Amino acid sequence: MITVILGAQWGDEGKGKLTDILCADASLCKCTSPSLEPKPPISIAAPGSHTIVVGDQVYDFHILPSGLVNPSCLNLVGTGCVVHIPTFFKELEDLKRKGLNTDGRILLSGRAHVVFNLHLLIDGLQEGELTQAVEQEISGGDGEFDVNKKSTGGAIGTTKKGIGPAYSAKHARSGVRIHQIFNKVELDKRLRVLANGARKRYGDAIASYDVDEEIARFDTYREQLRPFVVDAVPLMASAQKKDTHILVEGANALMLDIVTSSSTGIGGILTGLAISPFKIKEIIGVVKAYTTRSVFFRTPFFHITLVWNCKIPSDNPARQGLPHASTG
């Protein structure tokens, strides 16, 4: 039996809160732990920014699933995700520092793709190029904005966490899956190919990137990461066969499908987790009474260029500091 929680707007609808409530009845939360015995709750989550408040303690989740707040929940980061390994370990450390024990309750799909620091650098460069292009288009090249002129493109407004470039590498079949980290020869070769391609594309703009330094970093991560990695396909197949209660926590929201470079709708759940649509009991779309969107948000009241640097406090503390727009 599978329950799916999805955002039905532009994110920050409160999916994490609902996940925390429903995890008490689940056996797997989308982000997973070592073993299905003795059938702990399972929570499965995709990368996003979720905030859970328990008493006076605030937990921020980006890569990890909100199901970790439930001490009996088994958690899996699914196959359709992309994962920045340093951030994965940092989030685990932050949770432990706040008193949340995650030992034996979090797994990574070995088929998920890796976000390298190279991808973070490329993400920033791409945003810079798009920003410059739209500024020149709207200003007519003279530096003065014309508020009546519609833009045909521009910066996406990403978090610059390398997610878009990592998904691009995945679909170009040049990315690295987590299980490939354990083959040093293959990892080193593929990472060098990625770095060489980036140098040809961006030249001196990525001169600060040191591929040998990144390779050395993964040499230290290799054994640290091993206990968390599992082949999620047979794991999910076994859980479905046993009719395990699975709770799937989606990332972002329906209106950001593909905009985030990932599939945030029900289709992404099916392909990213290898689950049967016939096993889904319910799909819950979370909405709120007003609408907000991080970064760009076209409304009847603002031209896109006028909200470019608008910073309104986000409903989600994990997103605070990002440009944000809203309408009632």
Side-chain angles (χ1 to χ4, degrees):
M1 181 177 67
I2 300 173
T3 299
V4 179
I5 300 173
L6 297 174
Q9 294 163 304
W10 280 273
D12 293 345
E13 301 96 346
K15 299 181 293 296
K17 299 180 184 70
L18 185 58
T19 300
D20 183 47
I21 293 170
L22 296 182
C23 260
D25 300 320
S27 299
L28 177 61
C29 295
K30 188 186 146 206
C31 231
T32 281
S33 189
S35 159
L36 285 176
E37 302 297 338
K39 281 197 172 181
I42 303 176
S43 168
I44 306 178
S49 294
H50 300 160
T51 301
I52 299 291
V53 179
V54 181
D56 296 329
Q57 190 63 264
V58 178
Y59 301 105
D60 294 330
F61 297 92
H62 297 275
I63 291 174
L64 301 178
S66 307
L68 280 169
V69 174
N70 185 332
S72 63
C73 188
L74 180 66
N75 295 265
L76 168 72
V77 177
T79 298
C81 300
V82 293
V83 182
H84 185 239
I85 303 301
T87 301
F88 171 77
F89 284 120
K90 181 180 182 300
E91 282 192 42
L92 280 178
E93 189 60 36
D94 288 345
L95 292 178
K96 289 180 180 180
R97 191 172 61 252
K98 293 178 178 180
L100 188 61
N101 183 11
T102 61
D103 293 344
R105 297 197 298 113
I106 177 68
L107 289 180
L108 288 171
S109 169
R111 300 173 189 244
H113 274 248
V114 180
V115 178
F116 292 107
N117 284 355
L118 175 63
H119 293 133
L120 274 69
L121 184 58
I122 292 174
D123 204 353
L125 291 172
Q126 289 178 341
E127 283 291 278
E129 288 180 343
L130 291 170
T131 299
Q132 184 179 26
V134 75
E135 286 177 351
Q136 290 176 346
E137 177 187 348
I138 296 176
S139 66
D142 58 7
E144 295 296 326
F145 282 100
D146 180 356
V147 296
N148 296 314
K149 186 172 182 180
K150 298 290 185 181
S151 167
T152 58
I156 299 168
T158 75
T159 55
K160 299 182 181 178
K161 293 180 179 178
I163 295 171
Y167 274 115
S168 294
K170 171 183 177 177
H171 293 297
R173 300 188 294 275
S174 60
V176 176
R177 294 182 185 270
I178 287 177
H179 75 83
Q180 293 173 317
I181 293 173
F182 303 108
N183 184 331
K184 176 173 171 56
V185 173
E186 183 177 14
L187 172 67
D188 293 3
K189 177 182 177 181
R190 296 181 75 88
L191 185 50
R192 290 187 188 281
V193 169
L194 282 172
N196 288 336
R199 288 193 186 95
K200 291 177 181 177
R201 166 66 175 84
Y202 297 101
D204 293 339
I206 64 164
S208 62
Y209 176 73
D210 187 339
V211 66
D212 291 314
E213 181 180 307
E214 183 127 65
I215 287 173
R217 187 179 303 113
F218 274 85
D219 287 341
T220 64
Y221 288 146
R222 190 167 289 115
E223 293 309 312
Q224 290 178 291
L225 195 61
R226 194 179 295 276
F228 298 99
V229 180
V230 65
D231 188 347
V233 172
L235 175 67
M236 294 301 297
S238 175
Q240 291 173 83
K241 186 176 181 180
K242 296 175 183 178
D243 204 28
T244 301
H245 187 179
I246 301 171
L247 180 64
V248 179
E249 175 188 14
N252 307 117
L254 182 62
M255 303 299 282
L256 292 175
D257 190 44
I258 303 302
V259 175
T260 61
S261 300
S262 58
S263 296
T264 59
I266 189 63
I269 299 296
L270 300 178
T271 59
L273 290 172
I275 62 176
S276 167
F278 301 106
K279 292 288 186 178
I280 297 177
K281 177 187 177 184
E282 57 184 346
I283 302 170
I284 302 172
V286 184
V287 298
K288 56 189 176 186
Y290 58 98
T291 305
T292 63
R293 179 183 174 185
S294 296
V295 194
F296 304 131
F297 185 28
R298 290 183 183 273
T299 78
F301 312 106
F302 298 107
H303 185 271
I304 189 170
T305 58
L306 298 183
V307 297
W308 194 289
N309 293 314
C310 179
K311 291 193 176 182
I312 299 174
S314 171
D315 304 294
N316 185 344
R319 295 187 184 276
Q320 284 182 356
L322 290 176
H324 204 78
S326 66
T327 181

